[in-house]
Amino acid sequence: MSETRAIIYWLRRDLRLADHPGLAAAAASGRPVVPVFIHDESVAALGAAPAFRLGLGLERFGATLGDMGSRLILRRGSAPAVLQALIAETGAGAVWWTREYTPQAITRDSALKTALQQAGIEARSFGGALLFEPWTVETGAGGFYKVYTPFWRAVSQREVSAPDPAPARVRPPEAWPGSEALSDWGLGAPMRRGAAVVATHQAPGEAAALERLDRFIATGIGQYDACRDLPAGDGTSTLSDALSLGEIGPRTLWHRAGEAAHKGAQGAETFLKQLVWRDFAYHLMYHTPHLLSENWRPGWEVFPWATDPADPGFVAWTRGRTGVPLVDAAMREMYVTGRMHNRARMIAASYLTKHLMVHWKLGMDWFADCLTDWDPAANAMGWQWVAGCGPDAAPYFRIFNPETQAKKFDPKGRYRNHWIAEGQAEPPRAALSYFDAVPRSWNLRPDASYPPPIMALDQGRRRALSAYASAFSQGSDGKLA
DNA sequence: TGGCGGTTCCA
DNA sequence: GGAACCGCC
C-alpha cells in the first residue's frame, strides 16, 4: 500500500517553484503538501537587511503558493518542535526539505532526520541549492579542493541536470493548519528607513528574478567581461539576493548561461565562473566549517588585527566616513540599498583589513547586517580571501589601492559622486538618501564637509606590510595551509 | 581578482 | 618623460 499521508515541505532558503527538486518530487507524489517556513534560531540570528529581505521574499512566495491553491504556513519556534506539532495537527507522514550546508544546519537537520525516523515519519532531504554536492567533488588524491582554478576545471565539464519545471499544482491538505501572520514577525523593522529604497531597487520573488535573468541573458551577459567591474554601471546580473534566498536556483543560471555561451556570448563563461565561485564557497564551508568563524590558515592568531568594534577606524568605515571616496561610496551604497558592487566589496574589505588593520570578522559581521544578499559561505570565503588568511587567498602583500582602483574602474567618478553628497553643489538623490537612512545618533549631515582620509594610503599600506612581516618572521609565514 | 619602485627602451 | 616590463613586497 503506497503512502498517502501528507508531506510537510519545510522551506528554508529555497523560496521558488521551478528548479526545486524536493518540491517537484512532493508535487509529483500526488500527496497533500503542507509548505511551511519556520522562524527559528537561524532566522532570529539574521542581520537587519537579510531579515528585511527575507520578509519580502516570504510575502512573495506565500502569494505565489496562494495563487496555485496552496499556502505557506508560518510558524515560530525551534524546528523540531514546530514540525512535531504540525505532524500532530495534520497527520502528515513525511517531512521533506532542501539541504543546507552551514554546520549549524547540518547538525540540526541530521538530528531531526534521526528523530523523525525514530518516530516513524519519513524524513527526506534533496539537493538543489548547489550545482554540485560538496562531497561529490574530489581531487585526484581524494581530498577536497582548496584552490579555485582546479575546482573549476574539475566541475566545468560536468553535466548538470536540467532544472525541474515549476509544478502546475501542489495538492493542498484536507484542512490547513493554522499559520502565524508574517506581519507579526517584525522582519525588517530595523530597515524601515532604507526599506523603501531597497524595495524599489530590487523586486523580490521568483518571477522578478526570472525576469532579471531574462534581461541579463538578452542584453547583459555579452557585456559582462567589459562591464562587470564598473561599480557605477549595471553590468552585473543583480541576482545575488534572489540566489541567497533561493528565489532562483543555480541550475537555472548554469543552463541559461551555458546556452548563452553556446551561442557565443562574450562573458557567459566569466559569469559561469562567478556562479561556480558560490559552489566553491559552499564546498570549502562543508569541508572546513571553521571557514565561517576562524582564520582558515593556522598561524594567523598572532596577526595584530584590531578587534574592538569601537575602533575609530572601524566606526568610520561602517559610517562611510573614512575620507577615501571609493570606500565611502561603497559603504553608503550598501547601507541604503542592501547591495554593494562586487568590486567595491573587495576594495572596501581590503581597505578595512589592510589599511585599517581591523579584523575581517568585524567587517564580515557588518556585511551580515547590511547586505540583502547575505550568504555566510560566500562572505566568509571572500573576507578571508581579501584578508589573506583564507584558502586560495591573495598573498598578504596584495593590497588594493583605492585610488588606483578608482582610476581604473570609476574613472569619471560616477560611482563616487552618486553616493557621496558632501562637497557637491547639487548632490544626487541617492547620495542624499544616505543621510535619511542612517541613525540620527551618527550625526551626519550632507552639507558638512567631507572628511580628510583617516589614514594616509601609503602609510596604511606600509603599516600592514610591516605588521605581516613581523607577525610571520618566525618562519610560520601564514601563507602555507 | 595588486601595488610599487626600479630599469629599459623609445619618442 | 612615459609606457612597458620586472622583481619584490
Side-chain angles (χ1 to χ4, degrees):
Chain A
M1 186 182 103
S2 70
E3 176 65 78
T4 57
R5 286 180 296 169
I7 298 163
I8 293 175
Y9 199 84
W10 181 18
L11 291 143
R12 293 105 65 93
R13 305 195 75 79
D14 47 3
L15 305 183
R16 64 182 179 275
L17 295 179
D19 191 6
H20 192 154
L23 187 63
S29 73
R31 294 159 64 179
V33 177
V34 179
V36 58
F37 183 91
I38 301 172
H39 187 316
D40 66 356
E41 305 80 12
S42 70
V43 173
L46 286 174
F52 166 76
R53 181 61 179 81
L54 173 64
L56 297 180
L58 289 173
E59 187 178 22
R60 275 309 324 144
F61 191 62
T64 301
L65 286 175
D67 288 344
M68 60 195 294
S70 183
R71 283 187 197 182
L72 181 59
I73 301 302
L74 304 175
R75 292 285 178 99
R76 189 196 284 266
S78 83
V82 167
L83 293 167
Q84 207 70 265
L86 279 173
I87 290 164
E89 290 170 42
T90 62
V95 181
W96 294 4
W97 64 83
T98 304
R99 279 189 282 280
E100 290 188 296
Y101 304 90
T102 60
Q104 300 89 329
I106 288 173
T107 303
R108 176 195 65 193
D109 294 350
S110 53
L112 175 72
K113 192 172 255 188
T114 305
L116 288 171
Q117 284 166 347
Q118 281 171 358
I121 302 292
E122 182 198 5
R124 249 180 106 178
S125 65
F126 293 80
L130 297 177
L131 295 166
F132 314 103
E133 295 293 350
W135 49 89
T136 68
V137 186
E138 287 190 346
T139 65
F144 64 96
Y145 285 99
K146 303 176 188 73
V147 179
Y148 179 68
T149 304
F151 180 85
W152 162 257
R153 272 200 292 269
V155 302
S156 59
Q157 298 306 315
R158 283 197 187 183
E159 282 297 318
V160 172
S161 57
D164 306 272
R169 183 168 178 272
V170 175
R171 187 178 154 195
E174 299 284 322
W176 284 100
S179 173
E180 297 173 27
L182 182 59
S183 54
D184 288 342
W185 283 4
L187 294 176
M191 283 291 283
R192 223 173 306 127
R193 310 219 46 188
V197 182
V198 173
T200 53
H201 275 243
Q202 216 73 280
E206 181 176 15
L210 289 170
E211 274 173 38
R212 286 211 294 286
L213 174 61
D214 284 344
R215 208 173 332 124
F216 178 67
I217 295 291
T219 65
I221 203 164
Q223 321 295 317
Y224 191 64
D225 284 333
C227 300
R228 71 191 187 95
D229 275 323
L230 307 176
D234 53 357
T236 62
S237 72
T238 70
L239 287 167
S240 59
D241 62 335
L243 200 49
S244 77
L245 278 185
E247 292 173 344
I248 196 162
R251 294 176 209 208
T252 301
L253 301 180
W254 171 275
H255 281 278
R256 293 292 300 276
E259 287 161 19
H262 208 66
K263 292 179 192 160
Q266 289 284 327
E269 170 102 350
T270 312
F271 182 75
L272 281 167
K273 279 189 182 163
Q274 290 299 118
L275 179 65
V276 170
W277 268 104
R278 176 178 172 274
D279 260 63
F280 183 53
Y282 278 81
H283 176 83
L284 289 170
M285 177 177 69
Y286 178 80
H287 290 287
T288 51
H290 74 279
L291 173 75
L292 295 177
S293 52
E294 291 153 62
N295 298 322
W296 190 84
R297 284 170 199 272
W300 276 74
E301 313 77 46
V302 300
F303 190 78
W305 310 107
T307 55
D308 181 3
D311 177 272
F314 177 66
V315 171
W317 180 81
T318 58
R319 298 184 180 185
R321 294 277 290 180
T322 67
V324 180
L326 186 53
V327 171
D328 291 341
M331 300 306 291
R332 295 177 187 200
E333 177 188 31
M334 176 170 72
Y335 200 85
V336 172
T337 67
R339 158 186 198 277
M340 190 195 293
H341 189 279
N342 177 252
R343 176 146 296 267
R345 293 184 197 204
M346 291 190 284
I347 296 163
S350 171
Y351 178 78
L352 182 73
T353 56
K354 309 272 164 103
H355 289 89
L356 300 183
M357 277 178 55
V358 171
H359 203 292
W360 59 270
K361 277 200 251 179
L362 286 186
M364 188 174 80
D365 288 348
W366 184 252
F367 273 27
D369 200 47
C370 294
L371 285 172
T372 51
D373 68 6
W374 171 249
D375 178 306
N379 275 276
M381 180 189 67
W383 275 96
Q384 296 224 43
W385 180 85
V386 168
C389 53
D392 197 14
Y396 72 86
F397 47 78
R398 190 178 289 161
I399 297 174
F400 287 80
N401 179 329
E403 285 177 356
T404 309
Q405 292 285 315
K407 282 194 190 91
K408 272 198 211 172
F409 301 114
D410 188 35
K412 295 180 179 167
R414 269 184 61 208
Y415 182 66
R416 283 163 287 169
N417 288 333
H418 190 70
W419 289 111
I420 297 180
E422 296 97 318
Q424 295 198 63
E426 289 180 43
R429 195 190 314 185
L432 291 173
S433 71
Y434 178 66
F435 297 86
D436 296 329
V438 298
R440 188 161 297 188
S441 63
W442 290 9
N443 204 18
L444 300 185
R445 300 163 50 90
D447 54 357
S449 60
Y450 185 66
I454 56 170
M455 166 67 75
L457 292 180
D458 59 337
Q459 186 195 339
R461 178 172 188 278
R462 282 200 307 269
R463 184 179 70 162
L465 287 173
S466 63
Y468 284 107
S470 47
F472 298 120
S473 61
Q474 307 301 326
S476 68
D477 65 0
K479 282 178 282 184
L480 304 171

